[in-house]
Each structure stands twice: as C-alpha cells, then as structure tokens.
Amino acid sequence: MKITFLGTGTSQGVPIPLCSCHVCQSDNPKNKRLRSSLFIEHNNLHVLIDTSVDFRQQMLRARIQQIDSVLITHHHYDHLYGLDDIRAFTNAQNKILDVYTKPDCIPEIMTRFGYAFHNGNLTIGLPALRMHAVKHTFTINHNSSSLNVTPIEVAHGSLNIYGYRIGNMAYITDCKGIPQSSIALLQGLDILIIESLRKRPHPTHACLDESLGFIDKIHPKKAFLTHFSHEIEHEELEANLPEHVFAAYDTLELIL
Ligand SMILES: [Zn+2]
Ligand SMILES: [Zn+2]
Ligand SMILES: [Zn+2]
C-alpha cells in the first residue's frame, strides 16, 4: 500500500495570505501546506480521503491518474468543497464513483452538492457520484483489488465525524476526543496519522499534547502528525517529537 499526503494544513492552509509570521514567510517547502487530504494506492485500487478545497491543485501536483472511491471524514469546507472538480475524473474514467461517509453527514453534502449524486447517466459537465452511508467495516472492490475500511468515530468538538482505518493504517483528521470504543478499533496499527493543529489548546481540535496522548493510548508502531496551522514550524516540531512520531508534510509518501 502506498500513501501520499496531498495536503497537511488546517482550514486556512499555510501560508495564510497577508500573514507575516515566520512559518508563513518560511522558504522551507515542508512549511507549505494545502488543505488536508490523503491518497491511498493498493494494487489497482485508488482511494481518496476527503475532496479538499485544494483538490484540483493536489491532483495536478501528485499527478493522480485514477480515483476509484472517495471517503469523506466530514462536511467542513476544507475537507469537502473541492468535490465539484472530481468531474474531471468521472468524465475521463467514464464511470460513477462511490463516495462513503457518515450517515448524518449526507444531508450536509446533499445541500451543497446534491447535483453530483444522480446515480445514473454520466452527464458531461457534472460530477457523477454514488453515495453510501457507512456505519461498520465495509469492502471497496475494484479491478480484482479490495480493501476493508472501518469508520472510526471521533469527536470534533460537538460534531462527531469519521476517521478511517484501512488495514493496519488509520487516518484521523479533525479530532478533539476519541471514545474508548474507537480506541479499541485502533489497536495493532503499523501507522496512525492524526491531527495536531498547534501547541496551544483549541476547543474543537487536538493540540500537540492531546495528539501525543492519543498516540500513547493507541500505541501504533509509527505515528504521523497532520492538519497543522501556521503555528507549527516543521523542523522545530520534528526535532522535539518522540522517536516513533513524525511530522507529515505535503507530498510525503509512505509505503506499507
Ligand atoms: Zn479540517
Ligand atoms: Zn502565519
Ligand atoms: Zn472540521
């Protein structure tokens, strides 16, 4: 399995226009973050997690050639609002793409992007998507490749959203709390990818100490932090992390 970090930034991305802080002004490419999204390739299967608002730029930068399924964590702007641009793929691939998400996320997606879910003919000019509400482990199949995906419920402030476990990898973005039932589903991981917004606490996002606490409870072999604000400087963070924890950055690829 190959994993590509398409974006590792929080909702505003980094740099923020007009911000003069040292991270926004940094020349280090690892401090330049598009909005968070992950791409997974397993044999002939290509899975995208979230259609970030930077989707188009991310597809071009990573030279993505194919998408077979999309997993949506939640309906916030930064994670969803690139969805319309997926029509480049549904048109080129001439097929309807499957989108999987949490049942109570569907009305929010339909309000903004209902026109993309017509479950029938492929219409040039519109995305062609098929919605699936998922609650438990499900299987994605394509070209005789398959992946088991387990939704992992986490608390993003008062909103409960999904992370996803795929094999021995799990991806959890916006997350202030992880219930015990979800911690149980995250045991035995080789790689945990989890948000660490900044060092200061935030009401709906995990700060660094909280993220490291989650990692201690879940004890994966390795953990990668993501969904950073401009208060996180890559090199400074990386130098101060435990041995098995790493700071992700845009374009980072992992092979499992
Ligand atoms: Zn977010
Ligand atoms: Zn800044
Ligand atoms: Zn969010």
Side-chain angles (χ1 to χ4, degrees), residues 92-254:
Q93 296 173 193
N94 195 33
K95 71 170 200 172
I96 297 170
L97 291 190
D98 292 308
V99 176
Y100 300 85
T101 194
K102 194 167 182 285
D104 57 11
C105 192
I106 290 176
E108 303 281 353
I109 296 175
M110 285 302 182
T111 298
R112 181 67 187 82
F113 295 106
Y115 64 88
F117 293 87
H118 37 83
N119 291 329
N121 52 341
L122 288 150
T123 309
I124 297 299
L126 296 178
L129 306 172
R130 186 186 298 115
M131 183 69 87
H132 302 269
V134 286
K135 289 185 180 171
H136 308 290
T137 300
F138 58 98
T139 303
I140 298 173
N141 291 299
H142 183 74
N143 280 349
S144 69
S145 297
S146 69
L147 277 175
N148 288 333
V149 181
T150 303
I152 308 288
E153 197 160 319
V154 300
H156 178 19
S158 59
L159 185 69
N160 283 342
I161 71 164
Y162 275 170
Y164 291 99
R165 177 175 183 153
I166 303 176
N168 284 340
M169 184 281 293
Y171 179 70
I172 295 174
T173 63
D174 308 25
C175 165
K176 181 70 177 177
I178 307 180
Q180 199 51 45
S181 54
S182 294
I183 296 279
L185 295 172
L186 291 167
Q187 297 305 301
L189 290 178
D190 290 328
I191 290 185
L192 171 66
I193 301 165
I194 189 162
E195 150 173 89
S196 179
L197 181 75
R198 64 188 190 190
K199 289 185 182 169
R200 291 183 299 131
H202 184 284
T204 63
H205 290 274
C207 65
L208 179 59
D209 284 348
E210 290 167 323
S211 307
L212 294 176
F214 295 142
I215 292 166
D216 270 353
K217 274 192 191 168
I218 295 165
H219 52 80
K221 286 186 184 150
K222 285 184 185 176
F224 288 81
L225 304 178
T226 188
H227 203 275
F228 299 122
S229 85
H230 66 152
E231 294 182 31
I232 295 287
E233 201 286 319
H234 178 86
E235 306 298 342
E236 193 255 323
L237 176 65
E238 183 92 322
N240 290 290
L241 289 173
E243 215 175 3
H244 65 304
V245 183
F246 305 87
Y249 54 88
D250 284 31
T251 72
L252 173 63
E253 294 178 353
L254 306 175

